Amino acid sequence: MTSRVMLCLTLFGAAGITPLTAHRLPLTAQDTVKGKAVYVKWCAGCHGDTGAGDGAAATAMLPRPRNFTGAVYKIRTTASGQLPTDADLMRAIDEGLPGSAMPAWKTRLSPAERRDVIAYIKTFSSFFADTSQHVVPLRFGKEPGGGVGAQAVKTGRLFYDSIGCRKCHGDQGRGDGPSAPTLKDDAGFPIFAADLHQSWRFRGGGGTEDIYRRLRTGLDGTPMPSFSDLIDQKFLTDEELWRLAQYVRSLSPAREPEVRDVIHAPQLGATLPASPNDTTWARVDRYWFPLVGQVIRKPRWFAPTVSGVWVQAVHNGRELALRLCWDDRTQSPDTAWLAFERRVLETVASDDSTPPVAGLWPDQVAVQFPRHIPDGMERPYFLMGTGTDPVYQWRWSSEPRKAVAGLARGLEQFDTLSAAPESRAVWDHGEWRVVFTRSLATPDTANELQFVAGRAIPVAFFAWDGSNGEHGSRLAASTWYFLALDQPTPPRVFISPVVAMALTLGLGFMVVWRAQRRAAGSRGTGAGT
Amino acid sequence: MRKLGSVGVVAVAGSLLTLAIGAWTRQPPALAGATITGKVKFTGTKPVMPKIDMSEEPKCKAKYTAAPPTEETVVVNPNGTLANVFVYVKSGLPASYKAPAPSGPVTLDQDGCRYHPHAFGIMVGQNLAIKNSDGILHNIKAKGTKNRPFNISQPTTMTSTRTFSAPEVMVPLECNVHGWMHAWLGVLPHPFYGVSGADGSFSITGLPPGTYTVEAWHEKYGTQTATVTVSGSETKTADFSFAGK
């Protein structure tokens, strides 16, 4: 049979059975046979051969890959309980789902491949073939103006409180609400209430409109409900829901933080801000470093909750103060999260000899330096050094709340040194802020890094969320970056221009004075003749 | 917030009252036909239901003055019977049997951070009125697999209405704000179902003559079936017995 005949048959079939509406791509453009080939090659590894979300890689993921057999989708433009439109599915494939393992496929698959794979994915559930299912996108209004204004944000905050967002997302939106430790998705897997301070990790996009749409549609299959009934019944106006979306958007930076390689530590006056809440920190540039699960050495860890750290540094010529801030919805150890931790450890694959046991682990953070500033590009192994080439680390723990310094010789060995940096920490509504302070120079020059201004000092970061079962090699790690202590500006930088200006001015005066004298002399001569 | 406050409360209280009266007055009269009735006995050790800590919700907590609330997975009545067993005609109706959905809704109330009723039935196409009497944030999530699942937010005293399009025994209902809140909904294409109550009895009325497979469903103890033949307007008894594990 020629493809032309096939096409004609398909056309007939399409016209006869399925209403061709704007939101359903015409079936003629979709080919489930080709779609299956794409699916088997690119999707089945995570989503499974039968679309049940149980591919070979699925057990290492939290959130788990979508199970297509129920046709329940988080990111839609349709009401809660309705099927997604083809455009909704296309968006998820094109853009991926940030904050999850689902990448963006727009540049990896052709438009035809993406259309075909959508057609194939829909065959996993009989709901898509059920013509009684109405797939109608909701009507979303336009965002009202003034979204970044203080008044709009304030109004949004009122509704954040009144409609109970804090129950799961917490008072400040970091996912630490009282109901958060009990949350499960429809498959029974543990699920975190979103940290609203990291909009770049929102599954359906971090824009105000994306947030508004999630409020209207809910995220089906998760505990996040739809708020459309509130608008339909006029408990809330559309504008008020937009204000809420604007408030949520205002909690995150305007753009996804850019990763910069070098932390600049400006030199301040005599006293350094040793307190994590010192107002000085608000004036110091902060640097974002993403962290990823440690998947190199066993036991590996695929589901870290700390997605990155904000780092600030200042010095005064004698001491260095380093502030680390990171979002962690739990102040570990916390018995309220123990059952949740157990579910996480049961859900995420483990590769150790004995299965991990949920415990009351503390939160931890580590700052890593080489023992000596390297002259070339050579640095110790980033993952906590090796037996022969250890690294110098500061390690802070929430329980007991203190910091120690030591030499790490790989993930397994940490030898504490006698001198520790000073540390002060606060946990504030889902955020840790820890300040380390240490003298630039110390007596133990063999083991402790000696900080020198004007040099590029390698630095790396590690974090453990105890209530997520993280301890030992179950951690989140960064790669090497650099810390640079700004050099004090030499006095001649300020004095030289002043001297130069004075000289120029003096010379100018002299030239003018001599010129005036000469002019006065010639006038006098003229008068005498 | 005024809208969510007094105005909303008054408006919703009014509409709820109307709904409630409507539902009450629209109860269908007892149908002619046969009746299957029975009791659900409970044997063995009665499990201890965990207490629910409602300290996060003072408004709900205040509604339990006599004894602290417990979970309702297994409710054994004082007479040794088991409550919340959904009993329904699983098969035996003629293929041609058609029953229109009643015009009145079935009401599910969220009161004291618990569902009332805990297990119940509804007909395909019949309205489910989901009522929030607590006036605090509940979300109601229906986790059907034959029906489309949904999840709606009710942060105030209000009623939302939904329908179910396919028979399904049972659709789990839950609130994620209050992890202890669970209810079970049996969706059927006919009206022949009942739930064991505070005395452990149930009754299914208005049956046409025939031989039926009757299934008793419990959320923890699973299902049991009985075969019952009825004719005319007779009443037959089908007792069930579940054993604690």
Side-chain angles (χ1 to χ4, degrees), chain B residues 107-138:
Chain B
T107 299
L108 173 69
D109 193 9
Q110 299 152 95
D111 187 11
C113 292
R114 288 211 289 206
Y115 288 118
H116 308 276
H118 180 75
F120 62 116
I122 196 169
M123 280 182 68
V124 168
Q126 188 179 8
N127 279 341
L128 173 66
I130 304 161
K131 177 178 158 188
N132 179 351
S133 296
D134 285 326
I136 56 158
L137 173 69
H138 290 298

mmCIF file of all heavy atoms in Angstrom, chain B residues 107-138:
data_model
loop_
_atom_site.group_PDB
_atom_site.id
_atom_site.type_symbol
_atom_site.label_atom_id
_atom_site.label_comp_id
_atom_site.label_asym_id
_atom_site.label_seq_id
_atom_site.Cartn_x
_atom_site.Cartn_y
_atom_site.Cartn_z
ATOM 1 N N THR B 107 -24.232 14.489 49.327
ATOM 2 C CA THR B 107 -23.379 15.488 49.966
ATOM 3 C C THR B 107 -22.271 14.834 50.778
ATOM 4 O O THR B 107 -22.523 13.910 51.553
ATOM 5 C CB THR B 107 -24.215 16.417 50.870
ATOM 6 O OG1 THR B 107 -25.178 17.090 50.047
ATOM 7 C CG2 THR B 107 -23.342 17.461 51.559
ATOM 8 N N LEU B 108 -21.075 15.318 50.547
ATOM 9 C CA LEU B 108 -19.926 14.918 51.357
ATOM 10 C C LEU B 108 -19.523 16.149 52.164
ATOM 11 O O LEU B 108 -19.203 17.191 51.586
ATOM 12 C CB LEU B 108 -18.762 14.467 50.474
ATOM 13 C CG LEU B 108 -17.450 14.183 51.212
ATOM 14 C CD1 LEU B 108 -17.578 12.948 52.088
ATOM 15 C CD2 LEU B 108 -16.300 13.994 50.221
ATOM 16 N N ASP B 109 -19.559 16.003 53.468
ATOM 17 C CA ASP B 109 -19.267 17.164 54.313
ATOM 18 C C ASP B 109 -17.892 17.016 54.958
ATOM 19 O O ASP B 109 -17.527 15.937 55.420
ATOM 20 C CB ASP B 109 -20.355 17.280 55.399
ATOM 21 C CG ASP B 109 -20.295 18.631 56.107
ATOM 22 O OD1 ASP B 109 -19.533 19.510 55.646
ATOM 23 O OD2 ASP B 109 -21.006 18.791 57.111
ATOM 24 N N GLN B 110 -17.162 18.124 54.950
ATOM 25 C CA GLN B 110 -15.881 18.168 55.663
ATOM 26 C C GLN B 110 -16.132 18.956 56.939
ATOM 27 O O GLN B 110 -16.264 20.172 56.916
ATOM 28 C CB GLN B 110 -14.815 18.836 54.797
ATOM 29 C CG GLN B 110 -14.568 18.094 53.494
ATOM 30 C CD GLN B 110 -14.078 18.998 52.385
ATOM 31 O OE1 GLN B 110 -12.893 19.127 52.159
ATOM 32 N NE2 GLN B 110 -14.999 19.647 51.690
ATOM 33 N N ASP B 111 -16.226 18.216 58.014
ATOM 34 C CA ASP B 111 -16.614 18.835 59.281
ATOM 35 C C ASP B 111 -15.730 18.268 60.383
ATOM 36 O O ASP B 111 -15.635 17.051 60.541
ATOM 37 C CB ASP B 111 -18.097 18.538 59.546
ATOM 38 C CG ASP B 111 -18.620 19.307 60.765
ATOM 39 O OD1 ASP B 111 -17.906 20.207 61.246
ATOM 40 O OD2 ASP B 111 -19.722 18.982 61.229
ATOM 41 N N GLY B 112 -15.090 19.150 61.144
ATOM 42 C CA GLY B 112 -14.177 18.687 62.184
ATOM 43 C C GLY B 112 -12.970 17.973 61.589
ATOM 44 O O GLY B 112 -12.420 17.060 62.198
ATOM 45 N N CYS B 113 -12.575 18.420 60.376
ATOM 46 C CA CYS B 113 -11.430 17.816 59.688
ATOM 47 C C CYS B 113 -11.600 16.311 59.520
ATOM 48 O O CYS B 113 -10.624 15.541 59.650
ATOM 49 C CB CYS B 113 -10.118 18.154 60.391
ATOM 50 S SG CYS B 113 -9.677 19.897 60.279
ATOM 51 N N ARG B 114 -12.846 15.903 59.305
ATOM 52 C CA ARG B 114 -13.121 14.520 58.921
ATOM 53 C C ARG B 114 -14.209 14.535 57.867
ATOM 54 O O ARG B 114 -14.966 15.495 57.746
ATOM 55 C CB ARG B 114 -13.563 13.695 60.139
ATOM 56 C CG ARG B 114 -12.421 13.431 61.085
ATOM 57 C CD ARG B 114 -12.578 12.116 61.810
ATOM 58 N NE ARG B 114 -13.649 12.161 62.793
ATOM 59 C CZ ARG B 114 -13.668 11.366 63.873
ATOM 60 N NH1 ARG B 114 -12.689 10.513 64.091
ATOM 61 N NH2 ARG B 114 -14.656 11.427 64.711
ATOM 62 N N TYR B 115 -14.274 13.441 57.095
ATOM 63 C CA TYR B 115 -15.312 13.350 56.065
ATOM 64 C C TYR B 115 -16.566 12.701 56.632
ATOM 65 O O TYR B 115 -16.485 11.709 57.359
ATOM 66 C CB TYR B 115 -14.811 12.520 54.892
ATOM 67 C CG TYR B 115 -13.761 13.186 54.042
ATOM 68 C CD1 TYR B 115 -12.488 12.647 53.916
ATOM 69 C CD2 TYR B 115 -14.053 14.355 53.343
ATOM 70 C CE1 TYR B 115 -11.520 13.249 53.126
ATOM 71 C CE2 TYR B 115 -13.094 14.967 52.541
ATOM 72 C CZ TYR B 115 -11.832 14.410 52.437
ATOM 73 O OH TYR B 115 -10.891 15.013 51.658
ATOM 74 N N HIS B 116 -17.710 13.241 56.251
ATOM 75 C CA HIS B 116 -19.003 12.655 56.604
ATOM 76 C C HIS B 116 -19.829 12.559 55.337
ATOM 77 O O HIS B 116 -20.143 13.602 54.767
ATOM 78 C CB HIS B 116 -19.728 13.519 57.650
ATOM 79 C CG HIS B 116 -18.879 13.833 58.838
ATOM 80 N ND1 HIS B 116 -18.753 12.971 59.908
ATOM 81 C CD2 HIS B 116 -18.088 14.894 59.102
ATOM 82 C CE1 HIS B 116 -17.926 13.520 60.804
ATOM 83 N NE2 HIS B 116 -17.500 14.673 60.328
ATOM 84 N N PRO B 117 -20.192 11.372 54.870
ATOM 85 C CA PRO B 117 -19.826 10.063 55.408
ATOM 86 C C PRO B 117 -18.407 9.647 55.018
ATOM 87 O O PRO B 117 -17.791 10.261 54.155
ATOM 88 C CB PRO B 117 -20.856 9.145 54.762
ATOM 89 C CG PRO B 117 -21.210 9.818 53.481
ATOM 90 C CD PRO B 117 -21.071 11.287 53.700
ATOM 91 N N HIS B 118 -17.972 8.557 55.649
ATOM 92 C CA HIS B 118 -16.624 8.063 55.402
ATOM 93 C C HIS B 118 -16.601 7.120 54.200
ATOM 94 O O HIS B 118 -15.637 7.085 53.452
ATOM 95 C CB HIS B 118 -16.134 7.332 56.656
ATOM 96 C CG HIS B 118 -14.754 6.785 56.534
ATOM 97 N ND1 HIS B 118 -13.644 7.584 56.594
ATOM 98 C CD2 HIS B 118 -14.292 5.519 56.346
ATOM 99 C CE1 HIS B 118 -12.554 6.834 56.454
ATOM 100 N NE2 HIS B 118 -12.922 5.585 56.301
ATOM 101 N N ALA B 119 -17.667 6.338 54.048
ATOM 102 C CA ALA B 119 -17.822 5.476 52.869
ATOM 103 C C ALA B 119 -19.249 5.648 52.375
ATOM 104 O O ALA B 119 -20.185 5.645 53.179
ATOM 105 C CB ALA B 119 -17.557 4.016 53.228
ATOM 106 N N PHE B 120 -19.406 5.808 51.069
ATOM 107 C CA PHE B 120 -20.742 6.086 50.546
ATOM 108 C C PHE B 120 -20.789 5.814 49.057
ATOM 109 O O PHE B 120 -19.771 5.563 48.424
ATOM 110 C CB PHE B 120 -21.163 7.532 50.869
ATOM 111 C CG PHE B 120 -20.288 8.601 50.270
ATOM 112 C CD1 PHE B 120 -20.801 9.495 49.335
ATOM 113 C CD2 PHE B 120 -18.961 8.742 50.637
ATOM 114 C CE1 PHE B 120 -20.013 10.489 48.779
ATOM 115 C CE2 PHE B 120 -18.164 9.741 50.088
ATOM 116 C CZ PHE B 120 -18.691 10.609 49.163
ATOM 117 N N GLY B 121 -22.014 5.847 48.525
ATOM 118 C CA GLY B 121 -22.188 5.552 47.114
ATOM 119 C C GLY B 121 -22.819 6.709 46.369
ATOM 120 O O GLY B 121 -23.396 7.630 46.970
ATOM 121 N N ILE B 122 -22.695 6.647 45.067
ATOM 122 C CA ILE B 122 -23.284 7.669 44.200
ATOM 123 C C ILE B 122 -23.551 7.020 42.852
ATOM 124 O O ILE B 122 -22.898 6.027 42.497
ATOM 125 C CB ILE B 122 -22.338 8.885 44.053
ATOM 126 C CG1 ILE B 122 -23.068 10.108 43.491
ATOM 127 C CG2 ILE B 122 -21.145 8.532 43.163
ATOM 128 C CD1 ILE B 122 -22.259 11.397 43.586
ATOM 129 N N MET B 123 -24.494 7.568 42.132
ATOM 130 C CA MET B 123 -24.752 7.028 40.799
ATOM 131 C C MET B 123 -23.983 7.797 39.749
ATOM 132 O O MET B 123 -23.701 8.987 39.905
ATOM 133 C CB MET B 123 -26.249 7.039 40.500
ATOM 134 C CG MET B 123 -26.957 5.854 41.146
ATOM 135 S SD MET B 123 -28.713 5.817 40.754
ATOM 136 C CE MET B 123 -28.696 5.460 38.991
ATOM 137 N N VAL B 124 -23.675 7.113 38.679
ATOM 138 C CA VAL B 124 -23.009 7.750 37.541
ATOM 139 C C VAL B 124 -23.846 8.961 37.124
ATOM 140 O O VAL B 124 -25.065 8.853 36.989
ATOM 141 C CB VAL B 124 -22.884 6.743 36.372
ATOM 142 C CG1 VAL B 124 -22.471 7.454 35.092
ATOM 143 C CG2 VAL B 124 -21.900 5.634 36.719
ATOM 144 N N GLY B 125 -23.219 10.079 36.983
ATOM 145 C CA GLY B 125 -23.910 11.288 36.537
ATOM 146 C C GLY B 125 -24.583 12.078 37.638
ATOM 147 O O GLY B 125 -25.005 13.220 37.412
ATOM 148 N N GLN B 126 -24.680 11.500 38.828
ATOM 149 C CA GLN B 126 -25.323 12.222 39.939
ATOM 150 C C GLN B 126 -24.339 13.241 40.520
ATOM 151 O O GLN B 126 -23.131 12.994 40.561
ATOM 152 C CB GLN B 126 -25.738 11.217 41.027
ATOM 153 C CG GLN B 126 -26.583 11.815 42.132
ATOM 154 C CD GLN B 126 -26.996 10.767 43.166
ATOM 155 O OE1 GLN B 126 -26.534 9.624 43.132
ATOM 156 N NE2 GLN B 126 -27.860 11.164 44.090
ATOM 157 N N ASN B 127 -24.884 14.352 40.982
ATOM 158 C CA ASN B 127 -23.999 15.379 41.532
ATOM 159 C C ASN B 127 -23.461 14.986 42.901
ATOM 160 O O ASN B 127 -24.213 14.515 43.750
ATOM 161 C CB ASN B 127 -24.748 16.704 41.685
ATOM 162 C CG ASN B 127 -24.824 17.470 40.370
ATOM 163 O OD1 ASN B 127 -24.046 17.195 39.457
ATOM 164 N ND2 ASN B 127 -25.748 18.397 40.273
ATOM 165 N N LEU B 128 -22.164 15.201 43.074
ATOM 166 C CA LEU B 128 -21.556 15.091 44.403
ATOM 167 C C LEU B 128 -21.323 16.515 44.884
ATOM 168 O O LEU B 128 -20.556 17.272 44.268
ATOM 169 C CB LEU B 128 -20.233 14.322 44.346
ATOM 170 C CG LEU B 128 -19.431 14.292 45.647
ATOM 171 C CD1 LEU B 128 -20.171 13.513 46.737
ATOM 172 C CD2 LEU B 128 -18.042 13.684 45.432
ATOM 173 N N ALA B 129 -22.014 16.879 45.948
ATOM 174 C CA ALA B 129 -21.823 18.212 46.532
ATOM 175 C C ALA B 129 -20.764 18.084 47.622
ATOM 176 O O ALA B 129 -20.974 17.411 48.623
ATOM 177 C CB ALA B 129 -23.130 18.737 47.100
ATOM 178 N N ILE B 130 -19.631 18.711 47.385
ATOM 179 C CA ILE B 130 -18.518 18.624 48.334
ATOM 180 C C ILE B 130 -18.536 19.904 49.156
ATOM 181 O O ILE B 130 -18.299 20.993 48.638
ATOM 182 C CB ILE B 130 -17.175 18.479 47.594
ATOM 183 C CG1 ILE B 130 -17.218 17.267 46.652
ATOM 184 C CG2 ILE B 130 -16.039 18.347 48.591
ATOM 185 C CD1 ILE B 130 -16.157 17.316 45.568
ATOM 186 N N LYS B 131 -18.844 19.719 50.432
ATOM 187 C CA LYS B 131 -19.125 20.868 51.284
ATOM 188 C C LYS B 131 -18.009 21.030 52.314
ATOM 189 O O LYS B 131 -17.565 20.044 52.903
ATOM 190 C CB LYS B 131 -20.463 20.572 51.965
ATOM 191 C CG LYS B 131 -20.960 21.556 52.964
ATOM 192 C CD LYS B 131 -22.321 21.044 53.459
ATOM 193 C CE LYS B 131 -22.684 21.617 54.805
ATOM 194 N NZ LYS B 131 -23.890 20.990 55.342
ATOM 195 N N ASN B 132 -17.562 22.245 52.476
ATOM 196 C CA ASN B 132 -16.573 22.535 53.512
ATOM 197 C C ASN B 132 -17.283 23.289 54.630
ATOM 198 O O ASN B 132 -17.574 24.474 54.501
ATOM 199 C CB ASN B 132 -15.422 23.374 52.931
ATOM 200 C CG ASN B 132 -14.362 23.728 53.970
ATOM 201 O OD1 ASN B 132 -14.549 23.489 55.167
ATOM 202 N ND2 ASN B 132 -13.259 24.303 53.507
ATOM 203 N N SER B 133 -17.603 22.586 55.714
ATOM 204 C CA SER B 133 -18.263 23.240 56.855
ATOM 205 C C SER B 133 -17.247 23.819 57.822
ATOM 206 O O SER B 133 -17.606 24.574 58.715
ATOM 207 C CB SER B 133 -19.133 22.229 57.609
ATOM 208 O OG SER B 133 -20.172 21.776 56.790
ATOM 209 N N ASP B 134 -15.984 23.421 57.658
ATOM 210 C CA ASP B 134 -14.963 23.852 58.615
ATOM 211 C C ASP B 134 -14.537 25.302 58.395
ATOM 212 O O ASP B 134 -14.126 25.984 59.331
ATOM 213 C CB ASP B 134 -13.732 22.948 58.520
ATOM 214 C CG ASP B 134 -13.975 21.587 59.164
ATOM 215 O OD1 ASP B 134 -14.718 21.542 60.166
ATOM 216 O OD2 ASP B 134 -13.428 20.588 58.676
ATOM 217 N N GLY B 135 -14.582 25.752 57.151
ATOM 218 C CA GLY B 135 -14.153 27.116 56.865
ATOM 219 C C GLY B 135 -12.652 27.322 56.935
ATOM 220 O O GLY B 135 -12.172 28.447 56.936
ATOM 221 N N ILE B 136 -11.911 26.234 57.015
ATOM 222 C CA ILE B 136 -10.446 26.308 56.923
ATOM 223 C C ILE B 136 -10.047 25.604 55.637
ATOM 224 O O ILE B 136 -10.874 24.951 55.016
ATOM 225 C CB ILE B 136 -9.768 25.622 58.125
ATOM 226 C CG1 ILE B 136 -10.246 24.175 58.225
ATOM 227 C CG2 ILE B 136 -10.024 26.377 59.412
ATOM 228 C CD1 ILE B 136 -9.310 23.283 58.985
ATOM 229 N N LEU B 137 -8.781 25.746 55.245
ATOM 230 C CA LEU B 137 -8.353 25.161 53.968
ATOM 231 C C LEU B 137 -8.442 23.642 53.975
ATOM 232 O O LEU B 137 -7.807 22.973 54.783
ATOM 233 C CB LEU B 137 -6.912 25.570 53.645
ATOM 234 C CG LEU B 137 -6.309 24.867 52.404
ATOM 235 C CD1 LEU B 137 -6.979 25.347 51.123
ATOM 236 C CD2 LEU B 137 -4.810 25.080 52.314
ATOM 237 N N HIS B 138 -9.273 23.094 53.077
ATOM 238 C CA HIS B 138 -9.221 21.688 52.710
ATOM 239 C C HIS B 138 -8.982 21.639 51.212
ATOM 240 O O HIS B 138 -9.434 22.518 50.492
ATOM 241 C CB HIS B 138 -10.553 20.981 52.988
ATOM 242 C CG HIS B 138 -10.868 20.792 54.445
ATOM 243 N ND1 HIS B 138 -10.066 20.040 55.276
ATOM 244 C CD2 HIS B 138 -11.885 21.247 55.212
ATOM 245 C CE1 HIS B 138 -10.590 20.042 56.501
ATOM 246 N NE2 HIS B 138 -11.683 20.778 56.501
#
